[in-house]
């Protein structure tokens, strides 16, 4: 995925949202097969996708949901790749 300079700046500015989602939604050290560090990376991908597809306005509420969705689908995607 290729981000414009503005999209990249928005993603970098909102990187704390990934930590906030993990703090709010993930309890414990693991989520399926993923560690918290893995989930932070998966959430970063979700944040980049949010920045790339945002239609304007405030990015944070949209990105929060996009990050959480990316984290939730990661274990399912991983199990599909193994089979």
């Amino acid at each position: 995925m290729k981000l414009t300079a503005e999209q990249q700046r928005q993603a970098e500015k909102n990187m704390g949202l990934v930590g906030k989602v993990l703090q709010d939604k993930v309890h414990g050290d693991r989520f399926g097969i993923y560690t918290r560090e893995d989930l932070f990376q998966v959430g970063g991908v979700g944040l980049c996708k949010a920045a790339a597809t945002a239609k304007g306005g405030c990015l944070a509420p949209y990105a929060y949901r996009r990050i959480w969705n990316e984290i939730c689908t990661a274990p399912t995607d991983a199990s599909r790749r193994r089979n």
Side-chain angles (χ1 to χ4, degrees), residues 2-3 6 9-10 12 16 24-25 29 36 50 54-55 57 59-60 66 68 70 72 75-76 80 83:
K2 188 84 168 160
L3 298 177
E6 176 61 24
R9 188 188 65 72
Q10 282 187 323
E12 290 171 357
D24 292 350
K25 303 281 190 176
D29 292 336
R36 283 183 101 58
K55 302 285 190 238
L59 177 67
R66 188 77 190 240
W68 178 234
E70 195 74 22
C72 287
T76 305
R80 285 183 189 151
N83 295 335

Side-chain angles (χ1 to χ4, degrees), residues 8-49:
Q8 185 175 354
R9 188 188 65 72
Q10 282 187 323
E12 290 171 357
K13 179 181 168 189
N14 288 286
M15 200 59 157
L17 274 174
V18 178
K20 179 70 173 148
V21 170
L22 290 175
Q23 179 184 355
D24 292 350
K25 303 281 190 176
V26 179
H27 307 290
D29 292 336
R30 299 191 75 77
F31 186 78
I33 61 170
Y34 293 102
T35 65
R36 283 183 101 58
E37 292 81 17
D38 295 332
L39 294 176
F40 193 87
Q41 289 183 357
V42 170
V45 170
L47 177 60
C48 290
K49 287 180 179 180

